[in-house]
Amino acid sequence: MPRQLGDLEDAVMTRVWQWNRPVTVREVLEDLQRERSIAYTTVMTVMDNLHQKGWVRREVDGRAYRYTAVSTRAAYSAALMNEAWSHSDNPAAALVAFFGMMSAEQREALQDAMRIVLPNLHDEPADEPAGEATEDPAEDLAEDPADDAGQETGR
């Protein structure tokens, strides 16, 4: 599971994701220098580290490398959310708390995503035979969702 990117790693990956093409250290350096003073060797080291960690692949281009993202920012964000959610001792309460923190724009994006995902759910096999009683996650929420949710989001 992915570890959250550091500040400089995120700044570099943001450019790689936004540009969506193979990039050189020099291109990333020049763009970063618009915001901060930074050395070529620092950017080169960060990009090499990102390659070692599997975030980017690289190909030789003359005397330099061109770096390309291995996955999308959306996939990275989803993996981070999944990792955080999987550590909850009450995943349903964590989701309720998460949904409660969403802005109107985020809720609209969630609704759009659900319209894409829900039609495909009927294609997956059921976890349990039909007619068999299942545990109701709403019962767990009724106990005291604010206590659990507050603990999860305070980290």
Side-chain angles (χ1 to χ4, degrees), residues 9 19 35 52 60 72 95:
E9 289 173 328
W19 296 340
E35 300 170 1
Q52 297 299 322
V60 176
T72 64
L95 282 174

Side-chain angles (χ1 to χ4, degrees), residues 2 5 7 20 25-26 64 66 71 89-90 106 109 111 124 128 139-140 143-144 150 152-153:
L5 297 171
D7 289 341
N20 197 29
V25 171
R26 176 75 53 202
R66 288 205 174 266
S71 66
D89 60 349
N90 189 336
Q106 290 169 324
Q111 289 173 338
E124 298 178 18
E128 298 179 5
E139 289 176 7
D140 290 340
E143 291 176 13
D144 196 357
E152 292 301 317
T153 59

Side-chain angles (χ1 to χ4, degrees), residues 83-134:
E83 175 73 7
W85 182 53
S86 70
H87 289 304
S88 173
D89 60 349
N90 189 336
L95 282 174
V96 168
F98 179 67
F99 296 154
M101 293 179 207
M102 290 180 155
S103 67
E105 183 178 281
Q106 290 169 324
R107 285 191 299 276
E108 187 175 321
L110 175 63
Q111 289 173 338
D112 291 344
M114 294 302 291
R115 279 192 282 278
I116 293 167
V117 173
L118 286 178
N120 298 324
L121 288 180
H122 72 276
D123 295 337
E124 298 178 18
D127 289 341
E128 298 179 5
E132 196 169 305
T134 60

